[in-house]
Amino acid sequence: MKKIIFFVAWLLCNMLAAQVITIRDNSSRETLPNVLLRDKNEKSLSTDNTGRVDITELDKSGDILVYHSSYLPYSLSEDEKAGKIQELRLTTRAVVLDEIVLSANRQKENKIDVPYTINVIHQKEIEFGNQATSADVLQNTGAVFVQKSQMGGGSPVLRGFEANKTLLVVDGVRMNNAIYRAGHLQDVIGLDANMLERTEVLFGPSSTIYGSDALGGVMHFYTKNAEFSGSEKMLVKTNAFVRYASANEEKTGHIDFNLGWKNFAAITNITYSDFGDLMSGTTNLAGSAKSWDRNYYVKRFGNRDSMVKNSNTNRQVGTAYTQVDFMQRFSFRSSQYVTHNLNFQYSQSSNIPRYDRLTEYNGTNLKYAEWNYGPQKRLFAAYTLNYSKKTMLSDNVKLIAAYQKIDQDRISRRFRSNNRTTQMEDVTVRSINIDAVKVLKEKNELRYGAELQANNVVSTANNLQLLTGAESPAATRYADGGNKMNTIGIYVSHAWEVSKNFVITDGLRFTANSLESKFNDTLLFKAPYSVASQKNSALTGNLGFTWKEDNNYKVSLFANTGFRTPNIDDMSKLFESGGNIMIVPNKNLKPEYATNFELSLSKVINSKFKFDFTAFYTLLDNALVLSDFKYNGQDSVTVNGSKRKVQAMQNKNKAYIYGFTGGVQFDFNSNISFKSIINYTYGRYNDLALDSVIPLDHIPPVFGQTSLLFKERNTDAEFFVRYQGIKSSKDYSPSGEDNAQYSADQVNGYMPAWFTLNLRVGYNITKKFRINASCENITDNRYRVFASGVNAPGRNFIFSLRYKM
């Protein structure tokens, strides 16, 4: 009995003597793992995954310094060393030369060691930015250009590549599927910004690791994972907020909560958003067009459509929609080396009006009474096995088996027509990814893996007669007899740390792809063949050299190749495009290849000033572009009584894109910092048949963002300017993808320059409650982003109240 009493007394004394400090981010209040604390004797400790560390063993007679590469250094106060204050918060630094990245080689590594240009968006930046969609989160970086055809959209552009020439990846699984088109895509909004832990944007061809489509780069979205407890006590974390925005009367509610034990954890994420019609600005900038006014909209009275005069031409009637997002993740640790993860995601929108089409005129009347993307549905399910025991072949292996189901509908009806056409695309994707890493003799790291993916596309369509309710078949968007695309790829990547200051990176990938589309007789016209099929393969690689010194400089020379294999959208699409164009199938397509060269420079001065510059030149062979075409020997067709020029996707010899990105960041002091980024891109392709050099589509004008930031213990503030230069008529592509008909010059294309002044503030009311307030486009400027078919928001007040525990 005495031994038990002695043991209990000893245990209590140790518990009372323990000095545990929790370290958090100053603004997001998230706990920070891997923070280093060091005393005067160079003894050091690090925080665990819950941000906690016991400093009992550290010498408190001198300074105890706190270090993290992304935060300003800190020295514990006497009260903190004595245990009177048990929580401290670190302030982020604007100038960061190095941090951990995950996307470059699908493994954890130091950013300073890789030759790629990578932009990392952290959860705290997403929360502070207060953006409505993942597309807006990307745009908020100032490094990604985003086009919008409607408010419920957002098509990212990386280095002049857009849509199926850039790759979307979520939690290691590619989102790009067989019907990702060359035009503008809204699929990124199906990823709830509030479920993201971080996002990494990888610029430039990345096919060695990721395969087809990664010509302009990769946007890799990492969702919040279920978090284990670091002790026997259950870990409970809750995050919830409500948000209102004035420009579109957005009302969003969100909650996510994590329950974690030592070997099992679960996280649930739910978001609901209701967006009203978007208000445009009222301050006309030089060159803005009256055609951007929403003068009339269509409303049905009984069985007849009427054009209704808009009482406020700045209210863009036909932009409202709603969306619900759900995510559930489970993690189970079956042993010291084995972790299992289940990942379920579901997103569904209401009908999303295609605003640009709803504003088109046919003479004096609006062309369409209805043009909606039907409820967009995205189902994602994945199982991940992570094995971390070192073997002869690997130090870590990750296997991901995934299933995706995407429903995309297009619903249209012309003005005063009683016939509604619905085109339905049902896509299922099954995939397996295996990624492994092995450190060889300390100085060499080998990564290798494989990917298998199978796409199945079912394309159907019908006409509904509104007066009688009768249904009849309609022309489908893709081959109506079924479509399949299968892909297999293997890769190897290697990094050699030649010395502390010099790293060589190299890699190779082989990919094989097969396509098949079956055509039955269509109502529009008969296809010239019943089956279109092709098989192709691609070998790609990269070679990079990086010279670097921690907290000083980084210089990278990088040569890499990328490819994009034709998909179902390229080969078998039958599509009525804007500008009196009809896009038709073409089975005689080849993969397009990109060869890229880039130079990147980063320099840090006195740990307070950072300068970045990247210049790139990308050469495209067999570039896939939309161009004039003859279908069944004809260069035009008549559709719904309207004569349309025929175009098809074609390989157009060679194209080139070059440009640069420059950035500066200053930490003036611990409270005030400055950052700015500017992007320039130029692209052309050679049309040998016409013996001419023609502008490539999707090339944005100069754009960027400049910010002044303020941080202190409970407050964050940012004043920023976002801007875009002129897109002149001579730089518009004739393909139609630049949407000249929605620009300030509807014939030749022209988009005037614009800028917005913006302010956002976050304040911690208590340890658990935080309020964020923003005013975007303070001067209420009226403008459009290049290639967009909807005006950007006018003056927009955004308020959110967030709770974290």
Side-chain angles (χ1 to χ4, degrees), residues 121 169 326 333 510 541 617 630 634 660 673 757:
I121 311 167
V169 180
F326 172 79
R333 187 158 48 204
F510 176 79
Y617 182 90
K630 286 190 176 182
Q634 302 296 316
F660 68 85
S673 57
L757 306 179

Side-chain angles (χ1 to χ4, degrees), residues 319-347:
T319 50
Y321 75 101
T322 62
Q323 183 166 315
V324 62
D325 296 280
F326 172 79
M327 182 186 75
Q328 179 67 59
R329 296 191 68 170
F330 300 100
S331 291
F332 172 60
R333 187 158 48 204
S334 58
S335 73
Q336 178 183 354
Y337 303 109
V338 180
T339 304
H340 310 265
N341 187 280
L342 291 176
N343 186 346
F344 301 96
Q345 300 171 21
Y346 182 75
S347 175

Side-chain angles (χ1 to χ4, degrees), residues 347-352 372-378 407-411:
S347 175
Q348 179 174 333
S349 71
S350 64
N351 280 352
I352 298 179
N372 297 309
Y373 287 115
Q376 304 287 286
K377 301 175 184 177
R378 182 184 74 93
D407 293 341
Q408 267 191 15
D409 299 346
R410 290 168 175 81
I411 306 166

